[in-house]
């Protein structure tokens, strides 16, 4: 498994932007599907976005389509989540996750980073 560490969270006003980063350790990062999830207070963790190990296939939750962009740099063992036009409902703890290409579920998780969007 890879070890994941998120950074880049913070407090931002509605309409603002943040970029989250997730640094991974391990030589097999480039073979992992990477994803971002989030959990708001009192709610279950939900899928936000994912990116294939090649970077060629991305997926987004409907709630963030057109506002968030996921990308990865395999040379730096890092995956990013660019978040634009942030809304108060985007407030949550954001988690980076990874899974091997053949695994059905995400098996590696970071500790999370708080994103707070004020209205």
């Amino acid at each position: 498994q890879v070890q994941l560490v998120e950074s880049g969270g913070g407090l931002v006003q509605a309409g603002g932007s943040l970029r989250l980063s997730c640094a991974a350790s391990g030589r097999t990062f480039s073979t992992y599907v990477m994803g971002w999830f989030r959990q708001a207070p009192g709610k279950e963790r939900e899928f936000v976005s994912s990116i294939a190990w090649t970077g060629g296939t991305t997926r987004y939750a409907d709630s963030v389509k057109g506002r968030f962009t996921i990308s990865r740099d395999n040379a730096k063992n890092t995956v990013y989540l660019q978040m634009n036009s942030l809304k108060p409902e985007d407030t949550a703890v954001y988690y980076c996750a990874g899974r091997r290409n053949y695994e059905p579920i995400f098996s590696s998780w970071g500790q999370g980073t708080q994103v707070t969007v004020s209205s």
Side-chain angles (χ1 to χ4, degrees), residues 72-84:
R72 67 189 296 162
D73 185 337
N74 287 342
K76 295 183 178 179
N77 277 17
T78 302
V79 62
Y80 305 97
L81 185 69
Q82 178 66 44
M83 306 185 295
N84 298 329

Side-chain angles (χ1 to χ4, degrees), residues 89-110:
E89 51 263 44
D90 294 318
T91 295
V93 178
Y94 283 71
Y95 297 90
C96 176
R99 63 174 177 86
R100 293 180 177 85
N101 197 42
Y102 54 83
E103 290 179 327
I105 62 171
F106 286 88
S107 55
S108 298
W109 292 85

Side-chain angles (χ1 to χ4, degrees), residues 5-7 19-23 34-38 46-51 69-71 79-82 94-97 106 109 112-113:
V5 179
E6 304 96 333
S7 61
R19 188 176 81 155
L20 305 183
S21 299
C22 174
M34 298 300 297
W36 288 95
F37 292 75
R38 66 186 182 187
E46 64 176 0
F47 168 81
V48 174
S49 182
S50 66
I51 186 167
T69 302
I70 190 170
S71 61
V79 62
Y80 305 97
L81 185 69
Q82 178 66 44
Y94 283 71
Y95 297 90
C96 176
F106 286 88
W109 292 85
T113 186

